Amino acid sequence: MSSLIFRGITVELSAEDDHFLRDVLHLVSELKLNDRYVDKADLLSRESSPGVWDANEPLILPEIVVHFTLSVFAELGGEGLQLVASQELYGTDLCDRLREPVAILLDGHENYPSMILKAKITTAADIFRQALGGEQSNNQTGESRVQDSAPISGDQTGNFEGLLQLLSQVNPDNDGSFPSYGSDNFGNCEDINRRIEMEEKAVRSTPDSHPDKPSRLSNLGTSLLRRFERLGNVDDLNSAIARHQAAVDLTPNGHPDKHLLLNNLGSSLLRRFERLGNVDDLDSATVRLQAAVNLTPDGHPDKYLLLNNLGSSLLRRFERLGNVDDLDRAIARLQTAVNPTPDGHPDKPSWLNNLGSSLLRRFERLGNVDDLNSAIARHQAAVNLSPDGHPYNSSLLNNLGSSLLRRFERLGNVDDLDSGIERLQAAVNLSPDGHPYKPGLLNNLGSSLIRRFERLGNLDDLNSAIARNQAAVNLTPDGHPDKPSRLNNLGNYLIRRFEHLGNVDDAEASIVQFSAASLSPVGYPFVRLAAAREWIGAAITTNHTSLLTACECATTIIPLVAWLGLSILDRHQHLAQIGGIVRDVASIAISLGKCDKAIEWLEQGRSIVWTQILQLRTPVDELGAVEPDLAGRLLHVSSLLDQGMKSTKSHHEGEPSLEEEAQQYRALARERDEIIERIRSLPRFGDFLRPPKLHQLVNAAKEGPVVVLNVSNIRCDALALVYGADEVIHIPLPDLTSEKITQLQAKFNSILKSSGVRLRAVRDEEVEVGGDEGCKRILAELWDYLVKPVLDSLAFCIHFLVSGGV
C-alpha cells in the first residue's frame, strides 16, 4: 500500500490508485503555460519511505491545472482519490463548471486509466495550453522552472470560457493510440513537425531501461503516423511502424499496457497495407491485433475496441484475398465488440457501422438476404445512436443508404430505393463542399437517382442524377484516383438522357467525360478501359471524329489491366471483356481503312488472352528476369496507383485534402511513365506494353500466309499476312455474323455433350465424337461463310504477287 499526502489529508492508496495517480500527474506535467515548464520531478516528490507521495509542497501549479487534475480524480479515480477531490474542490465555482466537460471527456470508461483515457487527457491538456495561450518553454538547459501559482487573470478567465466550450467538444471517439493529441494540433504542418521534434528528443534522451521509454516511442510513432496521414510521405509511415515495434519490444510480457502497444503497431501496419497493398503487412497487422485481443481479459474497457480493430483487419484481408473464413471471423469479432457495449458508449455507432459493412460484404459474396437485412439493421442502429453534429454522421447515413439501395437491387422494393435516396441526400446535406468525402457522397446519390429513373422513368430523377454527378466531378481535382470513375458515371448519365430526349449536345458532352476518364494518367485501369469503351460507343452513335483516338486509347489501357497491379483472379475476370473490346476496335479500324492497326491490336489482344489462359510469361515477367529491380519498382508504383481505387476507405485524423491526394497520385503517375520509358530504352523492350508493329508480324508469314479472323458485333473479317506484301490483305466476310458463329459453337458443343465428351477434354486430346451429320453441316456452313472466301482471296492475291503485280 502507498499513501497520498495532500494539504494535510493522508489517504491510503491501492496499487491501482497509485498507478492511476502516476499516470494523470505525468500527463498534467506536460502542460506548458505562459512560459512555465512544469516537470514531473517538480510535481512529485518522494519521502524517504517508498510508496508515499507527498503532494503538499510540489503541487504549486496554476489554479486551473489543479482543478483539472482533481476533477479527473473526482470523475475517475479510486475511492481515496475521489474523497480528496471532493473534500478539497467540489463546492468551488470553478470546479463545478469543470465537472461536466470532464465527464464528457471521460464518458464510458471504467476506473482503470487505459491508454485511451491517457490519449484523451493529453488532448485536454493541449486544449488547456491553447486556451491559456501557453507556449513551449525556451529553456535549453533541460532544467525545469516553476513559478508560484497565481489567481486566474481577467484575460485567462476569458480564455477559460472558451476552454469550457472546447473541452465540451473533445471527440470521445479516439482510436486508442498511446497518447494521441487533438486533431487541431495536426492541421498545421509546423505543429506536427514541432511535436515530432520534441518527442524525438524525449526518445533519444531516455535509456531503453527507463519505464517511460515505450510510451515515448509510441507517442512518437503516433505523431509520425498522423503526419503521414496528413502529408502522405511513406517514410513517416515506415518510421511510425519502427517506433511502435520498438515500444512493443521494450515492454515486458505482463505489462498492463502491452495490449494497446500491440494494437498501435497492428493499426500502423494496417495503414501501410492500405497505402502500399503488401499482403505481408496485412497479415502482420492481423497477428498483432489478435495478440492484443488475447492479452486483454474479458470485461476490460479496452477489449471491445481491440476486437473492433481486429475485425476491421480481417475484413480488409477478405477484401484482398477473398477467403470467406476471414469474413466470418471478422463478423464474429465485430459482433462480440458490439453486443455488450451500452448504447451510450461513444464508439458504438462506429462499431455497428463496421459490423454492418462486413455483413454487406458477406451478402455480396454469398447472396444470403438475411445478411443484407442484418447489415441494414446495424447501419440503421449506428445512425440512430450517433449524436447530432458528429463528424461521421454523413458516412453513417451514406452506408445505410447504400445498403438500402442494394436491397432494392436484390428484391425490387421501391420503398427501399426511396429510403436509400433519402439517407444519401441527408448525407450530402451534412457535408460541406470542402469535405474530402463530399464528392463520393454526391456520386452515390447520383447512382441511386439513376436507379429510380430506370425503374420509374421520371426524367426529374435523371436530371438530378446528372446534376449531382456533375457536382461530384467539379469537386474532385484532376489527378485524383476517383475522378475517372465519376467522369465515367457522368458520361453514362448524359448518354441516357441523349437516348431519352435525342439532344446531341448530351452525346457530345458524354464524349468529353468519357475521354477525360480514359486519358487520365491515374485511376483504376479497368474503370478507364470501361470509359474508353463507352467513348467508342458514343463516338459511333454520333459519327464523332474522335472514334479512332478512342480505340487507340483503349488499346493502351488493356496491358495495364492485364499485366500491372491486378491479382490473377482479377485478370481472369477481365479476360472476356478484354477480348470483346479488342475485336470491336479491330472492326472499327478495318471500317476506317486502318487494317495495319487492326492486325496489330488483334495480335496484342491474342497475346494477352492466351498468355493468361496458358499462364505463360508476361512482358513484366520477362523484364523481371533481366531487370528485377526495375520490374519490382514498376509493379510497386502501379500497385500504389491501383490501390487508390480499390482500397477500403476509412476515416483517419488529419487526412490530406483532395488536392493533396491528387498531387500524390499525379506524382506516382509521372514516376510510372518515367519507369516505362526507361524500360523501353533497354534492348528487346522497345515496345514494352505496346502492340507489335506490322513489320514484326510479317516475318511470321515466311513459311506461308497467316490469316487472322475477327468476329465482332460490328462486322466480321479476315486479315491475311503474305510475306513480301507491303500491306495487310483485307478479306470481308459479309455472310458471317457474330450470331451465326455463336449458333455454330452451340451446335458443336451439343454434339460433344450428346457423345459423352467433356468440353475441357477437347483441349487436351483428340476424341471420337458422334453426330457425323451434324458436324458435316457445321463444317459446310464454315466453308461457305469463312473458308472459301478466304482461300479465293488468297489465291488471287498470291497469283497477283507471283506474277509481279506487287
Side-chain angles (χ1 to χ4, degrees):
M1 294 286 290
S2 60
S3 60
L4 168 70
I5 304 172
F6 181 77
R7 296 184 183 178
I9 302 172
T10 300
V11 179
E12 297 300 319
L13 301 178
S14 67
E16 184 175 298
D17 282 346
D18 183 75
H19 187 101
F20 174 80
L21 183 60
R22 291 171 185 266
D23 287 339
V24 175
L25 290 181
H26 176 71
L27 289 164
V28 173
S29 73
E30 295 180 0
L31 288 172
K32 288 85 181 175
L33 298 168
N34 297 333
D35 202 35
R36 300 184 184 107
Y37 185 85
V38 183
D39 187 73
K40 184 175 182 181
D42 296 303
L43 275 170
L44 310 173
S45 67
R46 286 262 189 183
E47 293 183 343
S48 57
S49 174
V52 177
W53 294 89
D54 185 352
N56 282 303
E57 295 304 323
L59 199 60
I60 53 176
L61 296 171
E63 183 182 359
I64 190 172
V65 180
V66 176
H67 281 286
F68 167 68
T69 305
L70 295 185
S71 295
V72 172
F73 291 167
E75 291 295 334
L76 203 67
E79 182 177 348
L81 296 177
Q82 291 173 346
L83 174 65
V84 171
S86 299
Q87 288 182 349
E88 290 299 313
L89 287 177
Y90 273 172
T92 67
D93 177 66
L94 184 58
C95 196
D96 284 341
R97 296 162 71 192
L98 265 175
R99 185 181 184 101
E100 182 177 357
V102 169
I104 292 172
L105 177 71
L106 306 177
D107 180 47
H109 293 280
E110 304 297 332
N111 288 340
Y112 183 76
S114 68
M115 296 289 189
I116 301 171
L117 168 61
K118 293 181 183 181
K120 294 181 180 184
I121 293 176
T122 307
T123 298
D126 285 338
I127 293 175
F128 270 99
R129 188 185 73 250
Q130 293 170 15
L132 294 179
E135 297 293 332
Q136 180 184 352
S137 171
N138 292 321
N139 179 18
Q140 300 299 316
T141 65
E143 298 178 357
S144 58
R145 296 180 288 114
V146 181
Q147 298 180 8
D148 291 341
S149 62
I152 300 175
S153 67
D155 291 340
Q156 287 178 319
T157 303
N159 283 336
F160 180 61
E161 296 296 336
L163 164 65
L164 289 177
Q165 294 182 359
L166 284 169
L167 187 55
S168 297
Q169 296 170 5
V170 172
N171 178 14
D173 188 16
N174 190 282
D175 65 1
S177 297
F178 185 125
S180 67
Y181 303 92
S183 59
D184 288 345
N185 289 331
F186 289 92
N188 185 299
C189 292
E190 292 181 2
D191 288 340
I192 305 175
N193 294 336
R194 198 157 44 239
R195 171 73 68 183
I196 291 172
E197 183 180 355
M198 292 167 55
E199 290 171 342
E200 285 177 337
K201 289 180 180 178
V203 167
R204 287 195 299 269
S205 64
T206 307
D208 287 351
S209 59
H210 195 284
D212 290 337
K213 183 68 174 274
S215 66
R216 293 174 184 177
L217 281 163
S218 196
N219 286 348
L220 176 56
T222 297
S223 297
L224 288 163
L225 181 63
R226 295 295 184 268
R227 188 166 70 180
F228 158 73
E229 288 168 349
R230 184 71 176 83
L231 303 177
N233 187 334
V234 177
D235 289 340
D236 280 336
L237 180 55
N238 292 333
S239 296
I241 291 171
R243 299 318 187 274
H244 284 306
Q245 182 67 64
V248 169
D249 294 342
L250 289 175
T251 304
N253 293 331
H255 191 282
D257 294 331
K258 184 148 190 178
H259 63 294
L260 282 166
L261 295 173
L262 283 163
N263 173 75
N264 292 345
L265 175 58
S267 298
S268 300
L269 287 162
L270 185 60
R271 290 292 288 120
R272 189 163 69 182
F273 161 74
E274 291 173 344
R275 176 59 189 269
L276 304 182
N278 188 332
V279 177
D280 289 341
D281 281 335
L282 180 55
D283 289 336
S284 295
T286 304
V287 169
R288 274 31 171 223
L289 294 169
Q290 182 66 66
V293 168
N294 295 344
L295 287 176
T296 310
D298 293 341
H300 192 286
D302 297 328
K303 180 85 173 206
Y304 307 122
L305 169 71
L306 303 180
L307 283 165
N308 174 78
N309 292 349
L310 175 58
S312 298
S313 178
L314 289 164
L315 176 61
R316 298 291 190 281
R317 193 162 69 179
F318 161 75
E319 291 170 340
R320 180 58 183 266
L321 302 179
N323 188 335
V324 177
D325 288 342
D326 279 336
L327 181 55
D328 290 338
R329 291 173 61 204
I331 292 171
R333 301 312 185 274
L334 293 167
Q335 189 71 63
T336 303
V338 165
N339 285 344
T341 305
D343 287 350
H345 192 286
D347 292 325
K348 189 159 186 178
S350 173
W351 299 350
L352 281 163
N353 177 70
N354 292 344
L355 176 57
S357 297
S358 299
L359 288 162
L360 185 62
R361 295 293 183 277
R362 191 162 68 183
F363 160 74
E364 292 169 345
R365 179 61 180 268
L366 303 179
N368 188 335
V369 177
D370 289 341
D371 281 334
L372 178 57
N373 292 332
S374 295
I376 291 171
R378 299 319 189 276
H379 283 308
Q380 182 66 66
V383 168
N384 294 344
L385 291 175
S386 186
D388 293 340
H390 194 284
Y392 292 160
N393 279 351
S394 59
S395 293
L396 299 179
L397 284 163
N398 174 73
N399 292 344
L400 173 58
S402 298
S403 298
L404 288 163
L405 183 61
R406 294 306 308 275
R407 189 163 69 183
F408 161 74
E409 293 171 345
R410 176 61 183 268
L411 303 179
N413 188 334
V414 177
D415 289 341
D416 280 336
L417 180 56
D418 291 337
S419 296
I421 291 172
E422 180 182 346
R423 288 354 182 252
L424 292 169
Q425 182 66 66
V428 168
N429 294 343
L430 287 176
S431 301
D433 284 350
H435 195 284
Y437 297 111
K438 181 73 172 274
L441 299 176
L442 284 162
N443 181 76
N444 292 347
L445 176 58
S447 297
S448 66
L449 287 163
I450 277 292
R451 298 292 185 278
R452 191 161 69 182
F453 165 72
E454 293 169 343
R455 178 62 180 268
L456 303 179
N458 188 334
L459 191 61
D460 289 341
D461 282 333
L462 177 56
N463 291 331
S464 294
I466 291 172
R468 300 309 188 279
N469 272 82
Q470 183 66 66
V473 166
N474 293 344
L475 290 173
T476 306
D478 291 341
H480 192 279
D482 291 330
K483 189 151 191 176
S485 175
R486 292 162 189 168
L487 286 164
N488 187 44
N489 288 345
L490 178 57
N492 277 305
Y493 302 162
L494 288 164
I495 276 292
R496 298 307 266 312
R497 191 163 68 182
F498 165 73
E499 294 168 350
H500 199 72
L501 300 178
N503 188 337
V504 177
D505 289 343
D506 281 334
E508 294 277 354
S510 74
I511 290 176
V512 173
Q513 313 307 318
F514 291 137
S515 61
S518 307
L519 296 169
S520 171
V522 303
Y524 187 31
F526 194 74
V527 170
R528 294 170 52 207
L529 183 59
R533 189 169 194 172
E534 297 296 339
W535 179 9
I536 292 168
I540 291 174
T541 300
T542 59
N543 196 26
H544 200 270
T545 56
S546 66
L547 179 56
L548 188 62
T549 302
C551 294
E552 290 175 332
C553 180
T555 60
T556 61
I557 299 171
I558 285 173
L560 303 181
V561 174
W563 289 327
L564 295 180
L566 290 177
S567 67
I568 294 175
L569 178 62
D570 288 335
R571 293 172 191 168
H572 283 290
Q573 288 176 341
H574 296 325
L575 278 183
Q577 297 182 59
I578 289 174
I581 294 173
V582 169
R583 291 191 294 271
D584 286 346
V585 298
S587 292
I588 291 166
I590 291 169
S591 297
L592 296 175
K594 303 290 185 180
C595 291
D596 55 340
K597 288 285 188 185
I599 202 163
E600 289 171 359
W601 293 344
L602 286 169
E603 174 58 20
Q604 180 191 50
R606 181 201 65 78
S607 174
I608 289 172
V609 171
W610 283 103
T611 294
Q612 301 300 328
I613 290 175
L614 300 179
Q615 298 182 347
L616 301 176
R617 286 163 60 91
T618 69
V620 179
D621 295 330
E622 294 173 356
L623 174 66
V626 295
E627 291 284 348
D629 292 342
L630 198 57
R633 186 61 190 162
L634 175 63
L635 290 173
H636 175 68
V637 173
S638 298
S639 176
L640 292 181
L641 285 166
D642 187 26
Q643 204 67 24
M645 283 293 301
K646 295 180 68 182
S647 65
T648 300
K649 298 286 185 181
S650 55
H651 295 289
H652 303 282
E653 287 184 6
E655 290 186 13
S657 67
L658 289 172
E659 178 56 39
E660 289 169 333
E661 193 174 358
Q663 290 174 3
Q664 295 169 17
Y665 280 95
R666 286 196 293 266
L668 287 170
R670 288 193 297 271
E671 183 177 358
R672 183 168 68 180
D673 289 343
E674 291 169 0
I675 292 171
I676 290 174
E677 286 305 310
R678 182 179 170 189
I679 293 169
R680 288 173 178 167
S681 68
L682 299 174
R684 299 190 299 108
F685 289 93
D687 290 322
F688 183 72
L689 301 184
R690 287 192 292 219
K693 300 301 183 185
L694 178 60
H695 68 84
Q696 297 170 312
L697 298 176
V698 169
N699 291 329
K702 282 184 177 180
E703 303 299 325
V706 175
V707 178
V708 178
L709 175 65
N710 187 52
V711 177
S712 79
N713 293 325
I714 299 173
R715 59 183 294 158
C716 294
D717 302 271
L719 300 174
L721 292 175
V722 177
Y723 193 71
D726 294 332
E727 297 179 353
V728 178
I729 299 171
H730 172 218
I731 306 170
L733 301 172
D735 296 326
L736 188 65
T737 64
S738 176
E739 293 78 11
K740 172 62 70 176
I741 290 293
T742 301
Q743 292 171 4
L744 293 175
Q745 181 185 28
K747 290 178 181 178
F748 188 64
N749 288 343
S750 178
I751 292 171
L752 294 177
K753 185 176 179 180
S754 64
S755 302
V757 177
R758 292 188 304 168
L759 297 183
R760 296 186 67 175
V762 177
R763 300 178 184 174
D764 301 327
E765 57 182 288
E766 295 183 7
V767 294
E768 294 283 335
V769 298
D772 286 347
E773 290 301 318
C775 287
K776 290 177 180 178
R777 287 194 295 271
I778 292 171
L779 293 173
E781 290 188 70
L782 287 174
W783 172 263
D784 291 335
Y785 301 141
L786 171 60
V787 179
K788 187 175 186 299
V790 168
L791 292 177
D792 288 346
S793 296
L794 283 177
F796 171 78
C797 291
I798 292 173
H799 174 74
F800 185 64
L801 285 171
V802 171
S803 62
V806 175

